[in-house]
Amino acid sequence: TKTAQRRVLLIGEPYYFEYPAALSFHELPDFFRRFLAKHDLERFNSILCNVYDERSSKIGRHQDDVAVLAKGEVVSLSLARNSCDRHKRLALMLFASPQGEERIQLRHGVEHAVRFDALDDKRDDRSHEVSSTLAPRVNLTLRHLLPQ
């Protein structure tokens, strides 16, 4: 089966992508800025918005570059696109360490509007991936990047 391409929108400071941000924080609608304030997410200066439309949409194994993070934190928040999916698991995130035979060390169910601190354990050697989407969702990955 062919993996569906996810759609991406970069807001604020660019993380590692070659293309510039599509929007600055000043261009965000008021309701989105209120949403960030309500969820205590205003301190971040980079938001990667991923739209996962199909069950085959996913993101492969990768590792965040913690050297560019101001406070060593990455926060992920997924929102179900359909109200009927808000009680379901939306995806499964798998974490692995580069050492050892047993690579998968942690499984985290991605749920609607539940904030997840991806580097909460401060392990910067851990890679992660998100399995195929179980329900259509929009994911916000927030980072506070160091000034360039």
Side-chain angles (χ1 to χ4, degrees):
T1 61
K2 183 181 176 192
T3 300
Q5 194 70 8
R6 71 186 193 282
R7 292 180 288 149
V8 176
L9 173 71
L10 184 58
I11 302 166
E13 297 297 319
Y15 175 50
Y16 58 83
F17 297 98
E18 285 95 32
Y19 55 86
L23 290 173
S24 71
F25 277 83
H26 295 66
E27 296 174 286
L28 289 174
D30 288 340
F31 78 88
F32 194 82
R33 287 200 294 271
R34 285 192 303 271
F35 173 84
L36 294 175
K38 178 181 176 183
H39 293 280
D40 191 29
L41 301 171
E42 292 174 297
R43 70 185 174 281
F44 297 95
N45 62 2
S46 179
I47 301 175
L48 184 63
C49 178
N50 291 291
V51 178
Y52 297 90
D53 289 316
E54 301 177 30
R55 292 182 65 86
S56 59
S57 298
K58 64 180 184 175
I59 186 163
R61 187 175 304 266
H62 65 283
Q63 192 170 347
D64 285 291
D65 183 2
V66 297
V68 302
L69 300 175
K71 297 181 181 174
E73 65 180 331
V74 176
V75 170
S76 178
L77 184 69
S78 284
L79 304 169
R81 286 204 26 225
N82 304 316
S83 59
C84 63
D85 292 330
R86 292 188 179 149
H87 67 285
K88 298 177 185 175
R89 177 180 285 172
L90 304 176
L92 184 65
M93 187 178 275
L94 307 173
F95 289 85
S97 175
Q99 296 90 18
E101 304 242 346
E102 185 60 35
R103 289 190 51 86
I104 302 300
Q105 295 185 338
L106 174 67
R107 296 176 193 273
H108 173 76
V110 177
E111 298 175 13
H112 173 72
V114 175
R115 175 184 167 146
F116 177 65
D117 295 328
L119 297 178
D120 195 38
D121 63 1
K122 306 305 181 218
R123 296 259 329 254
D124 60 5
D125 65 338
R126 188 175 278 171
S127 63
H128 57 280
E129 64 186 271
V130 179
S131 67
S132 295
T133 296
L134 303 173
R137 66 190 175 101
V138 174
N139 173 266
L140 303 174
T141 301
L142 301 101
R143 297 173 176 92
H144 186 190
L145 302 177
L146 293 169
Q148 292 186 12

